[in-house]
Amino acid sequence: MTEPLVGVVMGSASDWETMQHCARQLEAFGVPFETRVLSAHRTPRELADWIGDAESRGAEVFIAAAGMAAALPGVVAAQTTVPVLGVPMESKLAGGLDSLLSMVQMPGGIPVGVLAVGKAGAVNSAILAAQILGRSRPEFDEAVRKHREAKAAEILANLDPSEA
Ligand code: RP5
């Protein structure tokens, strides 16, 4: 079994609808990862156990998604020096601005790299994780380059939307 290089954790199963886009992007890049629903508030002990376990098995990036109080990425970051990327979930209050502000306002000393709210952030967290891993693994760097080229080609193939 390939051990995960990326640990993807979300505060609730309700976050999966958004975070499946992160998982799909990691899969497309061939990055080994594992996903967990574990909450900073509802399952704090199990969360701590998983962080330690994933780190000991070789995880080099954590991606943590949460909404509402959105404490999860900060709580993960407090327990590891593995880089943590945070993905704020959309919410009924202010469209997820609440999650974004909660997540991004980490106290000095414990950083979390916060991405955009929702699907764009979920996809970008996977791409950024691949870029981080790509510093020492050229295959992931190459996968990111190809992804960018494909996205650019899509745009250039349809320059005039009125012709579609
Ligand atoms: C957060 O609360 C989760 O990350 C989720 O975005 C939000 C709502 O959770 P549920 O009530 O849907 O389980 O902890």
Side-chain angles (χ1 to χ4, degrees), residues 19-72:
M19 290 309 290
Q20 63 179 313
H21 300 289
C22 167
R24 280 194 201 143
Q25 191 63 63
L26 290 169
E27 269 165 17
F29 288 151
V31 173
F33 67 98
E34 72 182 18
T35 50
R36 291 288 184 275
V37 173
L38 287 166
S39 164
H41 299 118
R42 293 164 172 159
T43 59
R45 277 183 291 278
E46 292 83 355
L47 173 65
D49 290 347
W50 176 74
I51 294 164
D53 182 52
E55 188 172 350
S56 73
R57 287 183 287 125
E60 294 184 22
V61 181
F62 284 110
I63 295 173
M68 300 188 78
L72 184 60

Side-chain angles (χ1 to χ4, degrees), residues 26-127:
L26 290 169
E27 269 165 17
F29 288 151
V31 173
F33 67 98
E34 72 182 18
T35 50
R36 291 288 184 275
V37 173
L38 287 166
S39 164
H41 299 118
R42 293 164 172 159
T43 59
R45 277 183 291 278
E46 292 83 355
L47 173 65
D49 290 347
W50 176 74
I51 294 164
D53 182 52
E55 188 172 350
S56 73
R57 287 183 287 125
E60 294 184 22
V61 181
F62 284 110
I63 295 173
M68 300 188 78
L72 184 60
V75 169
V76 176
Q79 300 180 67
T80 181
T81 54
V82 171
V84 177
L85 307 180
V87 185
M89 296 294 95
E90 286 178 19
S91 71
K92 289 176 186 153
L93 181 68
L97 183 61
D98 52 335
S99 315
L100 172 66
L101 292 178
S102 293
M103 205 173 271
V104 82
Q105 286 289 60
M106 287 296 294
I110 310 292
V112 169
V114 180
L115 285 303
V117 174
K119 180 180 173 183
V123 171
N124 278 348
S125 70
I127 297 172

